[in-house]
Amino acid sequence: MPVDYSKWDALELSDDSDIEVHPNVDKRSFIRAKQNQIHQERQQRKLQIETLKYERQINDGLMKRISGLLNALKAHAAEAETRNPAEVAFQAVMESAGNSSDDKPPPRPEGVHAQVEQPPTYTKMMATLLDQVNKELDEKKPDNRYNAMVDEIGVHLKKVQELQQELLKKLAELEKEEGRKITSEGIHEGFNSSHVAKSTPSTSETKKADDSSVELLNPSFSMSNPTDSKSPATAEDDDDKEVEASPDARKYALIKPNDYRESHSFITSHPHILTEKETDGLLIMAFDAQLDNKDDVARQCVHQALLLQYCRALGKDGVSLFFKRITTKGHQAQDVFYKDVQDTYYRIKNRAAEINAQRAAEGASGEGVEQIQLHAVEPGTEIKIKIPPEKSGDEGEKRGREIFEGFAPDMRKALESGSLDKVNEALGKMKVEDAEEVVGLLSEAGILSLEEQIIDATTEEGQKHLKEMEEQAALESYNDDPE
């Protein structure tokens, strides 16, 4: 029976001993460059696969919430004909809010979207979606705003579904490309036992079913460059880089949580604070207050921030509708809103407690604090300290002496000792900004200079140091040319 060797055509070799290159090109360097290219492409392809799976996972959660809102709006469509459409829409939003324990997206795998922050909560994604829908409705001014809202949300749901299909297609292409080549990472032991248990057909079928379900449920991402693609789940506002509440929003944050009349009046006279940026700014104020252990201030800022978010999410008449429901005794909206405030506050409180504990531990141990230290980078060299003379006719040395005399007493004493360790000790006691400024002045004054180190090979210590330098040089030579 002939043996089929065609499967070995898929072997991906990282070098070839019989490769032919131009006479002016070093063969070993060319092979190493080819190896690096293959490994980099493989790593990037794996990262793209993980990113695609993660994005599809988040978009699945977002589609679930959009579908829930759409179903709730359709279920109350008849009521919208006889009642205030805005009130009916608010009721549908509250019913489709979902469980707060599932509000946070799953954590990102290592290396996926490392340049951006963790995706926002699903509640925040839905609030952003409702903002877009309300803006579109304000521009179109439809006769039946309720039905138009249902249609617009359906359009957004369709966009996310189409995006999921695109991501699935890209994921299938990448996985096909990944499985096309046989690599060392794909090698596994077939059997490692003297006894082989024969599997039953049912087990095999179950395993195949499980494998297929994993492939279907876990795809996501936008290929070439993860930072270039922005899906609804990972899109970030440019304003998020530096978020700070405006002066009006800070005044609004001072209003007590139970004074809804004053809050309503302030928002009515300052409608420009109804933005996502102001909400985020107030939440940052809450976090800063909690770091200072100001619990009441932090809770108040969280309450006022979420109040803005709810009013904004309810659309054109959201402000009056929210305050009408929140002040109605026993209304369902109160439980939903207060629970959201409580959950958000406790997340901030727990995170602030972790940060304060970490800072206290770093302060007690003296570890983990960033410092500026001086060291010679090149082997065989050392940093020498030369203090400018007191009386000199040279303008450069005069300037250097003025800089030296302007240093703090402990730094002058360390420099006069001529010991780099004592200079580093003095720098370690400073703040990073102050230490950086001192290092710049030392360079400007010409106090520090890099010189070749003189080794006395007649002593035991000198011979030991010389041997270490030779070993280091040999290691560097090997790294440059491992073959």
Side-chain angles (χ1 to χ4, degrees), residues 320-351:
S320 57
L321 182 59
F322 174 82
F323 282 101
K324 180 180 178 181
R325 291 309 180 192
I326 204 68
T327 54
T328 300
K329 189 175 181 180
H331 196 276
Q332 179 188 5
Q334 295 177 349
D335 295 335
V336 175
F337 178 69
Y338 293 146
K339 187 176 185 303
D340 197 2
V341 171
Q342 193 76 351
D343 292 344
T344 304
Y345 168 69
Y346 276 113
R347 284 197 295 269
I348 290 176
K349 183 177 181 180
N350 292 336
R351 181 56 185 152

mmCIF file of all heavy atoms in Angstrom, residues 320-351:
data_model
loop_
_atom_site.group_PDB
_atom_site.id
_atom_site.type_symbol
_atom_site.label_atom_id
_atom_site.label_comp_id
_atom_site.label_asym_id
_atom_site.label_seq_id
_atom_site.Cartn_x
_atom_site.Cartn_y
_atom_site.Cartn_z
ATOM 1 N N SER A 320 -37.820 65.820 32.768
ATOM 2 C CA SER A 320 -39.102 65.910 33.476
ATOM 3 C C SER A 320 -39.659 64.529 33.782
ATOM 4 O O SER A 320 -40.229 64.293 34.857
ATOM 5 C CB SER A 320 -40.102 66.705 32.632
ATOM 6 O OG SER A 320 -40.266 66.095 31.355
ATOM 7 N N LEU A 321 -39.469 63.585 32.859
ATOM 8 C CA LEU A 321 -39.982 62.238 33.070
ATOM 9 C C LEU A 321 -39.266 61.550 34.224
ATOM 10 O O LEU A 321 -39.907 60.907 35.076
ATOM 11 C CB LEU A 321 -39.804 61.422 31.793
ATOM 12 C CG LEU A 321 -40.343 59.987 31.821
ATOM 13 C CD1 LEU A 321 -41.830 59.981 32.108
ATOM 14 C CD2 LEU A 321 -40.055 59.296 30.494
ATOM 15 N N PHE A 322 -37.947 61.702 34.295
ATOM 16 C CA PHE A 322 -37.192 61.060 35.373
ATOM 17 C C PHE A 322 -37.618 61.605 36.733
ATOM 18 O O PHE A 322 -37.884 60.835 37.671
ATOM 19 C CB PHE A 322 -35.686 61.274 35.162
ATOM 20 C CG PHE A 322 -34.858 60.767 36.313
ATOM 21 C CD1 PHE A 322 -34.534 59.434 36.419
ATOM 22 C CD2 PHE A 322 -34.425 61.641 37.312
ATOM 23 C CE1 PHE A 322 -33.785 58.962 37.490
ATOM 24 C CE2 PHE A 322 -33.683 61.174 38.380
ATOM 25 C CZ PHE A 322 -33.360 59.844 38.468
ATOM 26 N N PHE A 323 -37.667 62.930 36.864
ATOM 27 C CA PHE A 323 -37.995 63.512 38.169
ATOM 28 C C PHE A 323 -39.440 63.220 38.565
ATOM 29 O O PHE A 323 -39.753 63.100 39.758
ATOM 30 C CB PHE A 323 -37.731 65.018 38.156
ATOM 31 C CG PHE A 323 -36.273 65.357 38.289
ATOM 32 C CD1 PHE A 323 -35.517 65.716 37.192
ATOM 33 C CD2 PHE A 323 -35.640 65.296 39.521
ATOM 34 C CE1 PHE A 323 -34.175 66.011 37.304
ATOM 35 C CE2 PHE A 323 -34.293 65.589 39.651
ATOM 36 C CZ PHE A 323 -33.559 65.945 38.544
ATOM 37 N N LYS A 324 -40.310 63.073 37.587
ATOM 38 C CA LYS A 324 -41.700 62.732 37.893
ATOM 39 C C LYS A 324 -41.776 61.332 38.506
ATOM 40 O O LYS A 324 -42.491 61.105 39.492
ATOM 41 C CB LYS A 324 -42.544 62.813 36.624
ATOM 42 C CG LYS A 324 -44.014 62.468 36.850
ATOM 43 C CD LYS A 324 -44.797 62.562 35.542
ATOM 44 C CE LYS A 324 -46.257 62.169 35.772
ATOM 45 N NZ LYS A 324 -47.046 62.234 34.511
ATOM 46 N N ARG A 325 -41.033 60.388 37.923
ATOM 47 C CA ARG A 325 -41.070 59.004 38.402
ATOM 48 C C ARG A 325 -40.285 58.811 39.696
ATOM 49 O O ARG A 325 -40.686 58.060 40.567
ATOM 50 C CB ARG A 325 -40.524 58.063 37.315
ATOM 51 C CG ARG A 325 -41.426 57.947 36.097
ATOM 52 C CD ARG A 325 -42.832 57.619 36.491
ATOM 53 N NE ARG A 325 -43.725 57.496 35.365
ATOM 54 C CZ ARG A 325 -45.045 57.435 35.485
ATOM 55 N NH1 ARG A 325 -45.586 57.512 36.684
ATOM 56 N NH2 ARG A 325 -45.813 57.321 34.423
ATOM 57 N N ILE A 326 -39.156 59.487 39.806
ATOM 58 C CA ILE A 326 -38.307 59.279 40.982
ATOM 59 C C ILE A 326 -38.944 59.876 42.232
ATOM 60 O O ILE A 326 -38.634 59.485 43.358
ATOM 61 C CB ILE A 326 -36.893 59.864 40.747
ATOM 62 C CG1 ILE A 326 -35.852 59.179 41.648
ATOM 63 C CG2 ILE A 326 -36.865 61.354 41.011
ATOM 64 C CD1 ILE A 326 -35.593 57.754 41.308
ATOM 65 N N THR A 327 -39.831 60.866 42.045
ATOM 66 C CA THR A 327 -40.510 61.489 43.200
ATOM 67 C C THR A 327 -41.885 60.885 43.460
ATOM 68 O O THR A 327 -42.560 61.290 44.397
ATOM 69 C CB THR A 327 -40.664 63.002 42.965
ATOM 70 O OG1 THR A 327 -41.323 63.234 41.719
ATOM 71 C CG2 THR A 327 -39.305 63.684 42.949
ATOM 72 N N THR A 328 -42.307 59.910 42.622
ATOM 73 C CA THR A 328 -43.581 59.224 42.862
ATOM 74 C C THR A 328 -43.352 58.102 43.862
ATOM 75 O O THR A 328 -42.537 57.198 43.629
ATOM 76 C CB THR A 328 -44.129 58.631 41.543
ATOM 77 O OG1 THR A 328 -44.323 59.692 40.607
ATOM 78 C CG2 THR A 328 -45.444 57.923 41.790
ATOM 79 N N LYS A 329 -44.023 58.135 44.968
ATOM 80 C CA LYS A 329 -43.806 57.192 46.054
ATOM 81 C C LYS A 329 -44.108 55.769 45.598
ATOM 82 O O LYS A 329 -45.154 55.487 45.019
ATOM 83 C CB LYS A 329 -44.699 57.563 47.242
ATOM 84 C CG LYS A 329 -44.389 56.757 48.494
ATOM 85 C CD LYS A 329 -45.206 57.247 49.670
ATOM 86 C CE LYS A 329 -44.881 56.467 50.931
ATOM 87 N NZ LYS A 329 -45.679 56.938 52.087
ATOM 88 N N GLY A 330 -43.154 54.851 45.864
ATOM 89 C CA GLY A 330 -43.332 53.444 45.552
ATOM 90 C C GLY A 330 -43.157 53.073 44.093
ATOM 91 O O GLY A 330 -43.435 51.931 43.707
ATOM 92 N N HIS A 331 -42.690 53.999 43.263
ATOM 93 C CA HIS A 331 -42.538 53.692 41.842
ATOM 94 C C HIS A 331 -41.333 52.769 41.629
ATOM 95 O O HIS A 331 -40.322 52.858 42.325
ATOM 96 C CB HIS A 331 -42.360 54.980 41.030
ATOM 97 C CG HIS A 331 -42.584 54.790 39.564
ATOM 98 N ND1 HIS A 331 -41.608 54.336 38.723
ATOM 99 C CD2 HIS A 331 -43.694 54.969 38.800
ATOM 100 C CE1 HIS A 331 -42.085 54.259 37.494
ATOM 101 N NE2 HIS A 331 -43.349 54.640 37.511
ATOM 102 N N GLN A 332 -41.441 51.891 40.631
ATOM 103 C CA GLN A 332 -40.388 50.917 40.346
ATOM 104 C C GLN A 332 -39.063 51.579 39.980
ATOM 105 O O GLN A 332 -37.985 51.055 40.262
ATOM 106 C CB GLN A 332 -40.841 50.015 39.190
ATOM 107 C CG GLN A 332 -39.806 48.962 38.782
ATOM 108 C CD GLN A 332 -40.209 48.226 37.524
ATOM 109 O OE1 GLN A 332 -41.210 48.559 36.908
ATOM 110 N NE2 GLN A 332 -39.422 47.227 37.144
ATOM 111 N N ALA A 333 -39.142 52.763 39.381
ATOM 112 C CA ALA A 333 -37.917 53.457 38.964
ATOM 113 C C ALA A 333 -37.013 53.779 40.148
ATOM 114 O O ALA A 333 -35.792 53.824 40.004
ATOM 115 C CB ALA A 333 -38.284 54.743 38.217
ATOM 116 N N GLN A 334 -37.594 54.008 41.320
ATOM 117 C CA GLN A 334 -36.775 54.332 42.503
ATOM 118 C C GLN A 334 -35.856 53.172 42.862
ATOM 119 O O GLN A 334 -34.660 53.361 43.116
ATOM 120 C CB GLN A 334 -37.695 54.678 43.677
ATOM 121 C CG GLN A 334 -38.523 55.932 43.478
ATOM 122 C CD GLN A 334 -39.470 56.189 44.640
ATOM 123 O OE1 GLN A 334 -39.655 55.338 45.502
ATOM 124 N NE2 GLN A 334 -40.084 57.367 44.649
ATOM 125 N N ASP A 335 -36.407 51.956 42.889
ATOM 126 C CA ASP A 335 -35.587 50.790 43.247
ATOM 127 C C ASP A 335 -34.453 50.577 42.249
ATOM 128 O O ASP A 335 -33.309 50.300 42.630
ATOM 129 C CB ASP A 335 -36.468 49.536 43.300
ATOM 130 C CG ASP A 335 -37.509 49.614 44.409
ATOM 131 O OD1 ASP A 335 -37.261 50.347 45.390
ATOM 132 O OD2 ASP A 335 -38.569 48.960 44.294
ATOM 133 N N VAL A 336 -34.775 50.725 40.961
ATOM 134 C CA VAL A 336 -33.748 50.528 39.930
ATOM 135 C C VAL A 336 -32.634 51.564 40.065
ATOM 136 O O VAL A 336 -31.443 51.235 40.046
ATOM 137 C CB VAL A 336 -34.381 50.609 38.520
ATOM 138 C CG1 VAL A 336 -33.302 50.533 37.440
ATOM 139 C CG2 VAL A 336 -35.399 49.494 38.324
ATOM 140 N N PHE A 337 -33.008 52.831 40.227
ATOM 141 C CA PHE A 337 -32.015 53.904 40.300
ATOM 142 C C PHE A 337 -31.169 53.802 41.568
ATOM 143 O O PHE A 337 -29.936 53.888 41.508
ATOM 144 C CB PHE A 337 -32.732 55.255 40.247
ATOM 145 C CG PHE A 337 -31.811 56.434 40.361
ATOM 146 C CD1 PHE A 337 -30.933 56.753 39.340
ATOM 147 C CD2 PHE A 337 -31.791 57.227 41.505
ATOM 148 C CE1 PHE A 337 -30.077 57.833 39.432
ATOM 149 C CE2 PHE A 337 -30.935 58.304 41.610
ATOM 150 C CZ PHE A 337 -30.080 58.610 40.569
ATOM 151 N N TYR A 338 -31.826 53.612 42.719
ATOM 152 C CA TYR A 338 -31.081 53.557 43.979
ATOM 153 C C TYR A 338 -30.130 52.363 44.017
ATOM 154 O O TYR A 338 -29.032 52.454 44.571
ATOM 155 C CB TYR A 338 -32.033 53.499 45.169
ATOM 156 C CG TYR A 338 -32.841 54.763 45.358
ATOM 157 C CD1 TYR A 338 -34.155 54.725 45.853
ATOM 158 C CD2 TYR A 338 -32.304 56.007 45.033
ATOM 159 C CE1 TYR A 338 -34.888 55.888 46.016
ATOM 160 C CE2 TYR A 338 -33.030 57.171 45.192
ATOM 161 C CZ TYR A 338 -34.331 57.108 45.679
ATOM 162 O OH TYR A 338 -35.059 58.262 45.834
ATOM 163 N N LYS A 339 -30.552 51.242 43.430
ATOM 164 C CA LYS A 339 -29.675 50.071 43.397
ATOM 165 C C LYS A 339 -28.456 50.339 42.515
ATOM 166 O O LYS A 339 -27.327 49.950 42.855
ATOM 167 C CB LYS A 339 -30.442 48.860 42.869
ATOM 168 C CG LYS A 339 -29.648 47.549 42.947
ATOM 169 C CD LYS A 339 -30.496 46.380 42.499
ATOM 170 C CE LYS A 339 -29.754 45.065 42.704
ATOM 171 N NZ LYS A 339 -28.468 45.013 42.020
ATOM 172 N N ASP A 340 -28.663 51.016 41.406
ATOM 173 C CA ASP A 340 -27.546 51.361 40.525
ATOM 174 C C ASP A 340 -26.566 52.293 41.231
ATOM 175 O O ASP A 340 -25.339 52.129 41.144
ATOM 176 C CB ASP A 340 -28.086 52.025 39.259
ATOM 177 C CG ASP A 340 -27.056 52.033 38.130
ATOM 178 O OD1 ASP A 340 -25.957 51.497 38.321
ATOM 179 O OD2 ASP A 340 -27.370 52.566 37.051
ATOM 180 N N VAL A 341 -27.090 53.274 41.963
ATOM 181 C CA VAL A 341 -26.233 54.195 42.722
ATOM 182 C C VAL A 341 -25.427 53.434 43.762
ATOM 183 O O VAL A 341 -24.212 53.633 43.915
ATOM 184 C CB VAL A 341 -27.081 55.294 43.390
ATOM 185 C CG1 VAL A 341 -26.223 56.118 44.356
ATOM 186 C CG2 VAL A 341 -27.709 56.206 42.350
ATOM 187 N N GLN A 342 -26.102 52.533 44.492
ATOM 188 C CA GLN A 342 -25.429 51.787 45.553
ATOM 189 C C GLN A 342 -24.332 50.894 44.982
ATOM 190 O O GLN A 342 -23.209 50.840 45.510
ATOM 191 C CB GLN A 342 -26.470 50.940 46.307
ATOM 192 C CG GLN A 342 -25.971 50.367 47.625
ATOM 193 C CD GLN A 342 -25.918 51.410 48.728
ATOM 194 O OE1 GLN A 342 -26.096 52.588 48.464
ATOM 195 N NE2 GLN A 342 -25.648 50.974 49.942
ATOM 196 N N ASP A 343 -24.635 50.166 43.895
ATOM 197 C CA ASP A 343 -23.638 49.260 43.298
ATOM 198 C C ASP A 343 -22.435 50.031 42.774
ATOM 199 O O ASP A 343 -21.286 49.623 42.971
ATOM 200 C CB ASP A 343 -24.271 48.469 42.152
ATOM 201 C CG ASP A 343 -25.318 47.480 42.642
ATOM 202 O OD1 ASP A 343 -25.327 47.197 43.857
ATOM 203 O OD2 ASP A 343 -26.135 47.011 41.827
ATOM 204 N N THR A 344 -22.694 51.160 42.094
ATOM 205 C CA THR A 344 -21.591 51.968 41.561
ATOM 206 C C THR A 344 -20.723 52.522 42.681
ATOM 207 O O THR A 344 -19.480 52.512 42.588
ATOM 208 C CB THR A 344 -22.142 53.122 40.712
ATOM 209 O OG1 THR A 344 -22.974 52.603 39.668
ATOM 210 C CG2 THR A 344 -21.011 53.919 40.082
ATOM 211 N N TYR A 345 -21.360 52.997 43.750
ATOM 212 C CA TYR A 345 -20.587 53.563 44.864
ATOM 213 C C TYR A 345 -19.696 52.507 45.505
ATOM 214 O O TYR A 345 -18.520 52.764 45.812
ATOM 215 C CB TYR A 345 -21.525 54.169 45.909
ATOM 216 C CG TYR A 345 -20.796 54.509 47.201
ATOM 217 C CD1 TYR A 345 -19.872 55.554 47.242
ATOM 218 C CD2 TYR A 345 -20.986 53.753 48.346
ATOM 219 C CE1 TYR A 345 -19.174 55.847 48.407
ATOM 220 C CE2 TYR A 345 -20.295 54.041 49.508
ATOM 221 C CZ TYR A 345 -19.387 55.080 49.546
ATOM 222 O OH TYR A 345 -18.698 55.358 50.693
ATOM 223 N N TYR A 346 -20.231 51.298 45.712
ATOM 224 C CA TYR A 346 -19.435 50.263 46.382
ATOM 225 C C TYR A 346 -18.290 49.777 45.495
ATOM 226 O O TYR A 346 -17.232 49.386 46.017
ATOM 227 C CB TYR A 346 -20.328 49.099 46.810
ATOM 228 C CG TYR A 346 -20.999 49.359 48.146
ATOM 229 C CD1 TYR A 346 -22.366 49.538 48.237
ATOM 230 C CD2 TYR A 346 -20.248 49.457 49.322
ATOM 231 C CE1 TYR A 346 -22.991 49.803 49.451
ATOM 232 C CE2 TYR A 346 -20.848 49.712 50.539
ATOM 233 C CZ TYR A 346 -22.223 49.890 50.603
ATOM 234 O OH TYR A 346 -22.813 50.163 51.803
ATOM 235 N N ARG A 347 -18.467 49.808 44.185
ATOM 236 C CA ARG A 347 -17.333 49.475 43.304
ATOM 237 C C ARG A 347 -16.213 50.503 43.464
ATOM 238 O O ARG A 347 -15.033 50.156 43.536
ATOM 239 C CB ARG A 347 -17.794 49.408 41.844
ATOM 240 C CG ARG A 347 -18.562 48.139 41.488
ATOM 241 C CD ARG A 347 -18.627 47.927 39.979
ATOM 242 N NE ARG A 347 -19.398 48.970 39.323
ATOM 243 C CZ ARG A 347 -20.692 48.906 39.098
ATOM 244 N NH1 ARG A 347 -21.381 47.839 39.487
ATOM 245 N NH2 ARG A 347 -21.332 49.877 38.471
ATOM 246 N N ILE A 348 -16.595 51.780 43.513
ATOM 247 C CA ILE A 348 -15.607 52.842 43.703
ATOM 248 C C ILE A 348 -14.954 52.730 45.080
ATOM 249 O O ILE A 348 -13.733 52.873 45.236
ATOM 250 C CB ILE A 348 -16.272 54.221 43.523
ATOM 251 C CG1 ILE A 348 -16.651 54.435 42.055
ATOM 252 C CG2 ILE A 348 -15.357 55.345 43.997
ATOM 253 C CD1 ILE A 348 -17.408 55.718 41.791
ATOM 254 N N LYS A 349 -15.762 52.447 46.092
ATOM 255 C CA LYS A 349 -15.239 52.356 47.461
ATOM 256 C C LYS A 349 -14.236 51.212 47.591
ATOM 257 O O LYS A 349 -13.164 51.376 48.196
ATOM 258 C CB LYS A 349 -16.395 52.148 48.432
ATOM 259 C CG LYS A 349 -15.962 52.111 49.900
ATOM 260 C CD LYS A 349 -17.162 51.983 50.826
ATOM 261 C CE LYS A 349 -16.705 51.984 52.281
ATOM 262 N NZ LYS A 349 -17.864 51.870 53.204
ATOM 263 N N ASN A 350 -14.558 50.053 47.021
ATOM 264 C CA ASN A 350 -13.654 48.903 47.118
ATOM 265 C C ASN A 350 -12.345 49.159 46.390
ATOM 266 O O ASN A 350 -11.261 48.828 46.888
ATOM 267 C CB ASN A 350 -14.329 47.659 46.551
ATOM 268 C CG ASN A 350 -15.502 47.199 47.401
ATOM 269 O OD1 ASN A 350 -15.567 47.494 48.593
ATOM 270 N ND2 ASN A 350 -16.442 46.488 46.792
ATOM 271 N N ARG A 351 -12.433 49.773 45.198
ATOM 272 C CA ARG A 351 -11.210 50.055 44.438
ATOM 273 C C ARG A 351 -10.347 51.091 45.160
ATOM 274 O O ARG A 351 -9.121 50.961 45.204
ATOM 275 C CB ARG A 351 -11.593 50.548 43.035
ATOM 276 C CG ARG A 351 -10.394 50.862 42.147
ATOM 277 C CD ARG A 351 -9.471 49.692 42.016
ATOM 278 N NE ARG A 351 -8.273 50.014 41.263
ATOM 279 C CZ ARG A 351 -7.111 49.419 41.431
ATOM 280 N NH1 ARG A 351 -6.979 48.455 42.348
ATOM 281 N NH2 ARG A 351 -6.063 49.750 40.705
#
